[in-house]
Amino acid sequence: MGRDYYKILGVGKNATDDELKKAYRKLAMKYHPDKNKSAGAEEKFKEIAVAYEVLSDEKKRRVYDQVGEEGLNGGAGHPGQQGGGGRGGMPNFSNGGTSFTYTNIDPKDTFAKFFGTGGLGGFGGGSGGFGGLGGGLGSFGGFGGGDDDMDVEYIGQSNGLGGGFGGKKKSMQDPPIMKDFYVSLEDLLTGCEKKMKITRKIYKNDGSVDSEQKILKISVKPGWKAGTKITFEKEGDQIPGKIPADIVFVLKEKPHNYFARDGANLKFTYKVPLKDALCGTMVEVPTLQGKRVQVDCANDVLKPKGTKRLQGFGLPFSKNPKMKGDIIIEFDVLFPDTVSESSKGILRNVLA
């Protein structure tokens, strides 16, 4: 039967290419022998590479699913001998009488093809293991500096991953380059445009390298939530034989002086002295529009953690920007540290 490549990568038998890449990337980084010195890590690293090389190739995967690892390696397979997928049938897994063997795969070659021939800087101290970082991605700078400043690195170069049995190359794309960008609640109230300056490298066939600067514009819509992703396809470094990586910006919210976001609502904590909590008061509430709104609590007893709503002063709903949430006012009642004996007597009479 041989080894279960699906189990090795921790994926199901119907795993997509993206799922296989994600699984290999995670496991290869975990068990790389330059990073993981534990016993068995190197063997595990090789096993992961073999599993990925087979399952990421359509022809090899089809053979493996029908006759398993032994059949894939030229063993005595027959129609009753099933592999990882058990789809049945005896495939033609030889070419002119020559069997294909995958157990002798060099895992470092697989790693280099996947992550780039330059390897990963930081593994093996730069010059050891796979060597230092390959052609780096140019820095990503914020337009005008501040919170949008970026410094992202690009992992090496690659000549493409060998395809089916004929060794035909197919272009690979590096994993997306992820970077946070920050907006204020005021930005999310009205929407805004963010301009992100990138500098990417263009590797030419003659070995020369050029740099190119570009401005990517992000149109932030009113009410967008933290975690919203904006993808610019194929804007990474340009390397011959390789598809440029996508650049993905992830929206983050800047902390606010007054408010904490809760969906389309804004939570505001109002500290009220005990006297005002018992006797009533006018509460002044700030808003994202810049004005302050008076809330009449003159006839109310304000309890700790009690709330009131200021309707329509929250954030727009992202799917219906014409509608807005509320400002939820939560009261934090401030108690005195000490009470005089005379005041205690008065309070006892009043509150009896």
Side-chain angles (χ1 to χ4, degrees), residues 292-318:
R292 292 179 173 268
V293 178
Q294 297 285 334
V295 177
D296 188 358
C297 300
N299 297 318
D300 298 325
V301 175
L302 304 177
K303 300 177 181 179
K305 302 299 181 182
T307 61
K308 280 188 173 292
R309 284 180 176 262
L310 194 57
Q311 295 185 344
F313 283 89
L315 289 171
F317 288 90
S318 58

Side-chain angles (χ1 to χ4, degrees), residues 115-119 133-136 154-158 174 203 237 239 242:
F115 287 102
T117 56
L133 185 67
Y154 183 88
I155 299 176
Q157 300 184 40
S158 173
D174 283 290
Y203 294 82
D237 284 0
I239 300 173
K242 200 166 192 180

Side-chain angles (χ1 to χ4, degrees), residues 207-255:
S208 62
V209 183
D210 289 339
S211 293
E212 177 185 69
Q213 290 189 343
K214 190 173 184 178
I215 301 296
L216 303 179
K217 296 181 179 180
I218 302 174
S219 180
V220 179
K221 304 301 181 185
W224 268 6
K225 297 178 181 179
T228 299
K229 295 179 180 179
I230 303 91
T231 300
F232 292 88
E233 295 184 347
K234 302 178 183 178
E235 292 289 355
D237 284 0
Q238 295 182 358
I239 300 173
K242 200 166 192 180
I243 301 171
D246 295 339
I247 300 175
V248 181
F249 294 100
V250 183
L251 185 147
K252 301 290 183 181
E253 295 170 2
K254 295 179 181 178

Side-chain angles (χ1 to χ4, degrees), residues 168-227:
K168 183 180 179 181
K169 295 179 179 178
K170 61 179 181 180
S171 297
M172 285 187 62
Q173 184 176 25
D174 283 290
I177 301 166
M178 311 292 289
K179 182 61 185 177
D180 297 340
F181 76 103
Y182 288 81
V183 296
S184 66
L185 293 180
E186 285 80 4
D187 291 333
L188 295 174
L189 176 67
T190 58
C192 67
E193 182 178 81
K194 290 285 184 178
K195 297 179 180 180
M196 313 300 291
K197 182 173 69 176
I198 68 168
T199 302
R200 65 179 181 178
K201 294 180 180 178
I202 301 174
Y203 294 82
K204 299 183 178 180
N205 289 322
D206 61 4
S208 62
V209 183
D210 289 339
S211 293
E212 177 185 69
Q213 290 189 343
K214 190 173 184 178
I215 301 296
L216 303 179
K217 296 181 179 180
I218 302 174
S219 180
V220 179
K221 304 301 181 185
W224 268 6
K225 297 178 181 179

